Every structure is written in C-alpha cells, then in structure tokens.
Amino acid sequence: MVKEKQRWTKKKRIWMVIGSVVTLVVVVTIAAGGYFFKVAEVRENKSFIKGTELSKDAVLYQEQEAFLQQPKLTEWQMKAKDGTKLVGYYLPAQTVTNKTVVVIHGFGVDHRAMAPYGTLFHKLGYNVLMPDDRAAGKSGGKYIGYGYLDAKDYLGWINQVIQRNGQNSQIAVMGASMGGATTMMLSGMNPPKQVKTFIEDAGYSSVDAELKYQAGSMYGMPKWLSNVLIPVVSAYSKVFAGYSYGQADAVKLLHNNKRPMLFIHGGADDFVPTRFINQVYAASRGPKEKWIVPGAKHVQSYATDPVGYEHKIEAFMDKYFK
C-alpha cells in the first residue's frame, strides 16, 4: 500500500513537471509570436530596412528627383472599405491619355521608394498613380497588409482612376518587393476589365514562405521552429489585422489570373530569394514573360541594368497598350 502510494506520488510529480514544461513552452511560443508579429506587421520604423529615398550618388537618383519634383504632382485620397484613410500621388502624362500605371511600393517604405519607376512610366507617356500603402507614408493604418489587404485597397485606387479618367481607361499595375506580391495577389482578385497588364519585380510567393525564410536568414531560426512559430504570428495577424498568412498567398491567387504579366527578379536576391520567381511564374494562367537580371540584389534590377530594364518594360507595355 505504501509502495503504491509512493509510485502514485512519483507519477504525479512527473506529470506535474511535464505539465509545467508544456505550459512554459506554450507561454514562450505565444510571447515570441507576439514579438515577431510586432516586428513584422505593426507600423513603426524597421531597422532592417534602408531609407525610402536614394542618396545623391545612387544610380537612379536623377530619376527619383525627376518624379518627386514634378510641379503637376497632385495628392489623391481614398477611404478603404474598413475606413482607413489612404493617400496617393498622381502625375498626369505630358500629353493627355487614357493610359495609367499604378505603381506599388514595398515593405517599410512609402511611394517615394518607387519614384524612379514613376519617371520611367511617365517618360513612356503614361499617367502615373503612386499611393502610400496602409501603415505607410501619409496613409493611415496600424498594421502592414503584406500585399493581401493592400491588393484590396488597390482595387479601390483602380476604380478611382476609372472614375476620374473615364471608362475607356487602360491600366497597368506595377509593384516591387511587397508591391510585387501585392500586384500578383491583385491579379487574382478579379480587377476591373480596364486593367490590361501586370508587372511584378522581386515579389514573394507567399507571406508564409517569405517570413519562414527571413526567420532563418535574420534570426538563424531552424526550420522546425519557424514552422511552429509562424502559424502563431499568423494567428495574431488574423485577430488584430484581419487576415491570416494563408490568405496572403500570391501563388494561390495567381491561379485566377489570365491577363499578361511580366515577372522580374534579381539573380542575386538574398532578401526575397530568386527561386520564388519560378513558383509565381508557373502559377499565372495568362500570357507571361520572365526576366532574371544577373547579379542584381533585391529590388536592384533597374539600378543594375537601367537601359535593359527600361527596354524590357517598354517592349512589354507596347504589346498590350495601343
């Protein structure tokens, strides 16, 4: 009887230890998930992201300034469906036209980071609309949309272009990095028929894939741990920002796209791995082209080969805009 009681006491202690360890692991995982959600999604300056504007010695500095100093640059405003105030910047073409390019910036910056691309399209004769994403620049919002919420917002911007410039508008959507992912997700959300083409540069295949990659790249996190932690971060996102990482999947949404798309990626991209372009390119169901720029780092394809980049963009646009 005494021995049985001792065995029971021993088992009880073991289960108490196991229960304590499990509780500790759960608490630590939830806490870590909250920390990484803040790093990944809450609006604030991100120490691992370089400044929005280029320095004077940068390759595309003149193109940047040519756009930002335009006297005809005007501010547009829009309210997202959830009430978030969004701000954009519109530059009409030098000659009146119904052709407009909507240009989308990436993570941790605002529209100014895409100013050289605005100049590129403006020189080609297009109107240019360049918004600040939610939680960026002058736009409102507390949580970064990682392309999914942003794609829904850009449907609103596209409708505003049509309302202002007419039903005969011809529209292209171009984005880089997170903006590239936004562009791809948008293509699968049944945008208005006036959207003729898409151009994505250095976009990721899904938020889940990109964050798991960054967990290893930035924090040295083993795969098994990121496989445990990222779903927790996704749950935080669902509760606070209104979307899960399973929804923010460019590959899934590209399966709905039947319109032309140009896919661009730097051959030496170690922030959004170059291999992602093969996944997204294969997923798109419309006419498509793929261009990998040798030696180009993340969102550096234009700066690495300015002449080749401009020729590639112009040739692609000329196929679909008359």
Side-chain angles (χ1 to χ4, degrees), residues 11-118:
K11 287 182 180 178
K12 187 176 180 181
R13 287 174 179 171
I14 291 172
W15 281 111
M16 286 178 66
V17 170
I18 292 173
S20 297
V21 170
V22 170
T23 301
L24 179 62
V25 170
V26 170
V27 169
V28 170
T29 302
I30 292 173
Y35 168 78
F36 284 110
F37 171 71
K38 181 176 183 295
V39 171
E41 228 167 296
V42 175
R43 181 177 193 157
E44 61 181 5
N45 291 329
K46 307 298 182 183
S47 60
F48 51 91
I49 299 294
K50 295 180 181 179
T52 291
E53 293 188 41
L54 298 172
S55 60
K56 290 184 178 181
D57 59 348
V59 174
L60 300 176
Y61 177 76
Q62 295 300 327
E63 286 80 2
Q64 169 187 274
E65 294 304 293
F67 187 86
L68 296 178
Q69 303 304 322
Q70 281 282 349
K72 292 186 178 181
L73 197 63
T74 58
E75 184 178 297
W76 286 13
Q77 294 188 4
M78 186 189 83
K79 271 197 175 182
K81 287 188 176 181
D82 64 358
T84 302
K85 178 185 174 182
L86 304 174
V87 177
Y89 301 87
Y90 180 79
L91 180 63
Q94 291 182 345
T95 302
V96 176
T97 181
N98 66 342
K99 302 173 186 178
T100 303
V101 182
V102 179
V103 182
I104 308 175
H105 68 80
F107 179 90
V109 294
D110 60 32
H111 76 281
R112 292 171 293 170
M114 297 299 289
Y117 302 85

Side-chain angles (χ1 to χ4, degrees), residues 36 111 143 164 167 175 205 276 280:
F36 284 110
H111 76 281
Y143 301 110
R164 288 175 179 250
Q167 290 295 318
S205 58
F276 282 174
V280 294

Side-chain angles (χ1 to χ4, degrees), residues 40-42 46 107 134-135 142-146 149 178 243:
E41 228 167 296
V42 175
K46 307 298 182 183
F107 179 90
R134 59 174 55 227
K142 183 177 181 180
Y143 301 110
I144 294 168
Y146 267 109
L149 296 183
M178 189 178 82
Y243 71 98

Side-chain angles (χ1 to χ4, degrees), residues 201-223:
D201 186 336
Y204 41 78
S205 58
S206 68
V207 174
D208 183 77
E210 175 63 9
L211 291 187
K212 285 179 179 177
Y213 169 78
Q214 290 299 340
S217 176
M218 292 177 62
Y219 298 96
M221 193 179 296
K223 282 187 177 181

Side-chain angles (χ1 to χ4, degrees), residues 167-309:
Q167 290 295 318
N168 66 338
S169 290
Q170 300 180 66
I171 299 169
V173 179
M174 185 272 171
S177 192
M178 189 178 82
T182 304
T183 299
M184 292 186 283
M185 293 183 205
L186 171 63
S187 75
M189 293 183 177
N190 192 31
K193 63 182 181 181
Q194 286 86 350
V195 178
K196 304 300 181 184
T197 62
F198 302 94
I199 301 171
E200 78 85 19
D201 186 336
Y204 41 78
S205 58
S206 68
V207 174
D208 183 77
E210 175 63 9
L211 291 187
K212 285 179 179 177
Y213 169 78
Q214 290 299 340
S217 176
M218 292 177 62
Y219 298 96
M221 193 179 296
K223 282 187 177 181
W224 70 265
L225 183 54
S226 65
N227 286 338
V228 171
L229 189 57
I230 297 303
V232 177
V233 182
S234 176
Y236 271 94
S237 180
K238 185 66 175 178
V239 171
F240 291 102
Y243 71 98
S244 69
Y245 295 161
Q247 293 173 283
D249 191 315
V251 170
K252 288 180 182 177
L253 285 161
L254 277 168
H255 287 146
N256 301 327
N257 176 52
K258 295 182 179 179
R259 301 181 213 188
M261 185 172 294
L262 172 60
F263 296 84
I264 302 172
H265 219 107
D269 193 337
D270 57 3
F271 192 80
V272 176
T274 306
R275 66 176 183 271
F276 282 174
I277 192 175
N278 298 320
Q279 300 171 33
V280 294
Y281 179 79
S284 189
R285 297 293 185 254
K288 52 191 174 181
E289 297 178 30
K290 178 170 62 175
W291 185 39
I292 298 176
V293 180
K297 290 285 194 176
H298 186 57
V299 197
Q300 291 299 305
S301 293
Y302 189 9
T304 300
D305 184 3
V307 174
Y309 197 98

